[in-house]
Amino acid sequence: MGASNWGMIWTAVMPLAVILYYFFRKKYKDQQVSSTLFWQERMKEMQASPYLKKLQHHLLFYLQLAALLFCVLALIEPFSESETLAGNDFIFVVDTSATMLAGSPSHFVKHQQEMKNLAAQAGGKPVTIVTTGISPKVIIRNEQDLQKVEKAIDQLAVNYESAEIEQTILFADTLAVNDSTIIHIFTDSLERSVLINKTGQSYHVHGFTETLRNVSIRQFGLSKTESGTRGIVQVVNNSKETIPATIRLTSDSVEKRIDVELAASEELLVPFEDLPNKQLWQATVEVADNYSADNTMATYVAPPVDAVVIDSALHELIASGFRSLSLDVALSDSSQLQPDSGIPIVTNQRDVLEGPTPILLFGRNDEKSFEVVGQIETKAHPLFTYATLDEIYVSQLYPPLEGYETIATIDDHPFIQVSPKGDIVVLTDVQLTDWPLSPSFPLFLWSAMESLAGDAEFLGYFQPNEHRSVSLASKTGEWEIFRDGTYSHSYIEGSGPFVAPAEPGIYQVVGDDKEMTMIVQLSSQEKTLSAGSTYKMGQAEAMQDKVRFSFVPFLIGLILLLVVGEWEVYRRGITTR
């Protein structure tokens, strides 16, 4: 509390002058006359209240005196001071990774309250909020309105991505206006070594020192055996005490349980033997810990997709195209192809289509080709999601296979077909087309491998919010994502990369009459909790600044009210004379 302009204290003589005026003004003697006797009875009530009479008599004086005193106070400019954060503007870097859900209340909720407290202390200085992740996001930029800042903080949410905190700090550095910008980092733990070489800005790290109980499923895998399926769950106790737990495996109505006791910092492999031959399983650890996001993990039994066998009789460009996809390419003589190996085969041998192994047929060895002229026309199919065939020239085709679905034609002649079991048939030789010279050729090979070696009912494993190119095609061009029957969001073909949901779990991707399963799971680094600390680094001074709040606007309002009151008292006095 203080005053900015003590030099105006001399104006205090004005209320003193008013007081002296009232002391020395002319006094009048009351004289009764006959005309006033009539009103004496009416005045008894007022005379019975001498204090009220005195107040009414001197009210104008009191109002004038109060107005002058407030004028004097306004002229000396009184103010109050409160502490505010050091720095001229602030950047809040907010960790939104899954580990921020640890604790009760969670670390994230505690940080939200702490951010609100700091924003209130900012004293109207600009605040910028940046969230972590693979792609850091600016939530608000240089906002000075406290209500808008608090609203933005309330709307923050955990996105389960890996924090990528170093990358986010580098991004926040580019938003700093000057050396007076203070960067507040809200996370669970951050090593000092990350900031040790950063001298251009000032950093205040807000961490947590508490050590929490946590048991996580680090890995979960399934393998086929002669008697069924064998599962192994790797469970890790990330705590300093022994914790009992129950490991549960579920698939539809099937459930298996094993009780374990995990010593401090113990890693345990829990086997499950003779499981039914089901493709989708979920492992859950039932335990009393402080972090539940890493207590579940799902897996899907799918065929391998890392190798392909190519008929050596085919053109070398086909093998080169598959090698560009970083696949393990094996060349084999036509007579030594194994249609029951389970590894996808690329050949022109018609007879291998009868086997169980997925086949990509380029041309036919049992028919002669014929000339064609015309544009390629395609139907909606995952093979053409990224491989467009608009500018491809094909000089000759082979006769089509009966009972196969035609998904591409040239002059109404089948060009590409798909068998009932999923084999892909390209009815031309590589040397009869300029397709290998087009960028769409390796994209088509990649889509073909995804279709052949993958499971038509399984889209794949994703991390939270992962952006990925996937082979999706439907008549409507729209796919809806559900979790446990609840709608999550939609994906429109051609609108950009496919974006996985934020929350880990098992999802269904539905389009037209087709349904696929996808699994979203945490990264390994989001399954470990570590204690941190709160500290400051950089050029910021430890002391806090002070912000002044002036009382002058409040005093001016009071003076105006007093002036209005004076006028009303004077007006009433005039009318009653």
Side-chain angles (χ1 to χ4, degrees):
M1 188 73 178
S4 300
N5 195 4
W6 282 109
M8 297 300 293
I9 194 64
W10 66 268
T11 57
V13 300
M14 291 189 294
L16 292 176
V18 173
I19 295 173
L20 292 174
Y21 165 76
Y22 274 92
F23 280 166
F24 296 102
R25 70 176 180 174
K26 185 177 180 180
K27 296 182 180 180
Y28 297 92
K29 180 181 179 180
D30 292 337
Q31 180 68 43
Q32 286 189 349
V33 294
S34 58
S35 61
T36 61
L37 295 177
F38 177 78
W39 300 103
Q40 288 182 355
E41 292 296 326
R42 298 288 184 179
M43 300 296 294
K44 286 182 179 180
E45 182 179 354
M46 183 174 293
Q47 291 174 350
S49 304
Y51 295 104
L52 178 61
K53 181 180 180 180
K54 185 178 296 184
L55 177 62
Q56 290 178 339
H57 184 69
H58 299 295
L59 182 57
L60 188 61
F61 165 72
Y62 296 143
L63 291 174
Q64 290 174 344
L65 187 61
L68 286 172
L69 288 174
F70 283 133
C71 283
V72 173
L73 284 175
L75 289 171
I76 64 175
E77 299 179 13
F79 62 85
S80 67
E81 286 186 336
S82 63
E83 290 186 342
T84 183
L85 295 179
N88 292 330
D89 59 287
F90 311 98
I91 298 177
F92 292 172
V93 175
V94 186
D95 186 348
T96 56
S97 61
T99 54
M100 297 302 294
L101 294 173
S104 181
S106 68
H107 291 168
F108 192 76
V109 171
K110 293 178 181 177
H111 274 329
Q112 283 181 304
Q113 186 58 49
E114 188 174 3
M115 282 186 281
K116 288 183 181 179
N117 295 339
L118 292 178
Q121 296 178 32
K125 298 175 183 177
V127 175
T128 299
I129 299 179
V130 180
T131 57
T132 63
I134 298 175
S135 299
K137 297 179 180 178
V138 178
I139 306 301
I140 55 174
R141 180 76 183 274
N142 294 333
E143 182 58 60
Q144 295 178 271
D145 189 329
L146 179 59
Q147 291 185 347
K148 292 182 179 179
V149 174
E150 291 182 342
K151 182 179 179 181
I153 293 173
D154 287 333
Q155 292 176 344
L156 294 175
V158 172
N159 60 18
Y160 294 89
E161 292 183 41
S162 298
E164 303 294 342
I165 194 72
E166 294 186 47
Q167 173 181 318
T168 308
I169 293 173
L170 290 174
F171 176 72
D173 287 341
T174 65
L175 301 177
V177 178
N178 48 47
D179 292 343
S180 64
T181 300
I182 311 298
I183 299 178
H184 291 262
I185 303 172
F186 298 88
T187 183
D188 46 4
S189 64
L190 181 64
E191 297 292 336
R192 292 177 180 266
S193 58
V194 175
L195 304 174
I196 197 68
N197 294 323
K198 295 181 178 295
T199 58
Q201 298 298 331
S202 302
Y203 304 91
H204 189 174
V205 178
H206 304 262
F208 291 93
T209 58
E210 58 184 335
T211 301
L212 301 177
R213 291 161 51 98
N214 181 43
V215 175
S216 64
I217 297 178
R218 196 64 54 87
Q219 297 291 339
F220 173 37
L222 297 172
S223 61
K224 294 289 186 180
T225 63
E226 295 181 357
S227 58
T229 302
R230 184 172 189 263
I232 296 180
V233 181
Q234 182 188 23
V235 187
V236 179
N237 182 7
N238 189 213
S239 309
K240 297 181 179 180
E241 57 183 289
T242 300
I243 300 178
T246 299
I247 314 301
R248 179 166 56 92
L249 257 60
T250 56
S251 179
D252 296 332
S253 59
V254 179
E255 181 177 304
K256 300 284 186 178
R257 287 174 172 267
I258 294 180
D259 295 328
V260 297
E261 188 171 77
L262 298 165
S265 304
E266 180 183 7
E267 297 185 8
L268 183 64
L269 295 177
V270 182
F272 288 81
E273 305 291 346
D274 301 329
L275 297 174
N277 287 321
K278 293 182 177 293
Q279 291 181 304
L280 181 62
W281 288 85
Q282 180 168 280
T284 304
V285 55
E286 298 177 350
V287 64
D289 63 0
N290 301 113
Y291 180 47
S292 61
D294 59 356
N295 289 355
T296 60
M297 190 173 182
T299 191
Y300 191 92
V301 182
V305 294
D306 57 350
V308 61
V309 176
I310 299 179
D311 191 336
S312 58
L314 297 179
H315 199 282
E316 175 62 24
L317 287 174
I318 295 179
S320 299
F322 278 106
R323 289 192 184 97
S324 68
L325 303 178
S326 300
L327 295 176
D328 184 6
V329 177
L331 297 177
S332 177
D333 189 81
S334 302
S335 61
Q336 296 180 351
L337 296 175
Q338 300 178 4
D340 58 350
S341 65
I343 301 176
I345 297 175
V346 184
T347 182
N348 64 350
Q349 305 296 310
R350 167 69 177 81
D351 55 341
V352 299
L353 286 172
E354 309 302 330
T357 296
I359 303 296
L360 172 59
L361 199 72
F362 261 100
R364 294 181 62 174
N365 67 331
D366 59 337
E367 295 285 353
K368 292 184 178 180
S369 60
F370 58 91
E371 293 186 359
V372 292
V373 177
Q375 292 278 337
I376 299 176
E377 297 182 2
T378 61
K379 296 182 179 179
H381 195 274
L383 288 175
F384 308 131
T385 302
Y386 304 103
T388 58
L389 309 182
D390 297 338
E391 304 297 329
I392 304 304
Y393 169 74
V394 179
S395 61
Q396 298 182 36
L397 291 178
Y398 287 97
L401 295 170
E402 294 184 3
Y404 284 26
E405 178 189 2
T406 299
I407 60 174
T409 60
I410 300 178
D411 195 20
D412 293 332
H413 295 288
F415 172 41
I416 300 177
Q417 294 182 296
V418 178
S419 74
K421 74 180 183 72
D423 295 330
I424 300 171
V425 178
V426 181
L427 296 169
T428 190
D429 293 326
V430 171
Q431 55 268 32
L432 298 177
T433 174
D434 64 352
W435 197 4
L437 303 179
S438 171
S440 67
F441 186 67
L443 293 174
F444 174 81
L445 297 181
W446 173 78
S447 298
M449 282 299 297
E450 288 287 317
S451 177
L452 292 175
D455 192 313
E457 298 181 354
F458 184 61
L459 188 59
Y461 295 94
F462 294 79
Q463 290 191 5
N465 294 312
E466 180 180 353
H467 291 56
R468 185 192 298 180
S469 297
V470 294
S471 297
L472 288 175
S474 64
K475 294 180 181 179
T476 61
E478 181 178 2
W479 294 81
E480 295 181 331
I481 292 88
F482 294 85
R483 183 184 184 186
D484 298 331
T486 302
Y487 174 80
S488 172
H489 63 280
S490 296
Y491 169 67
I492 306 298
E493 297 171 20
S495 62
F498 181 83
V499 181
E503 189 172 352
I506 301 172
Y507 292 83
Q508 290 73 43
V509 183
V510 182
D512 294 340
D513 296 329
K514 187 175 182 180
E515 180 175 331
M516 292 181 287
T517 298
M518 65 178 295
I519 296 176
V520 180
Q521 54 191 15
L522 289 178
S523 62
S524 298
Q525 65 192 63
E526 294 302 311
K527 298 182 179 182
T528 303
L529 300 181
S530 56
S533 61
T534 297
Y535 58 90
K536 298 178 182 179
M537 295 189 69
Q539 302 297 322
E541 297 181 359
M543 64 177 294
Q544 290 186 314
D545 292 337
K546 291 184 180 294
V547 62
R548 289 185 175 183
F549 297 94
S550 177
F551 292 121
V552 172
F554 176 72
L555 292 173
I556 291 175
L558 284 178
I559 293 169
L560 291 176
L561 288 176
L562 290 172
V563 170
V564 173
E566 287 180 31
W567 168 251
E568 181 63 18
V569 171
Y570 178 75
R571 185 185 66 81
R572 288 177 179 271
I574 291 295
T575 57
T576 57
R577 288 182 182 177

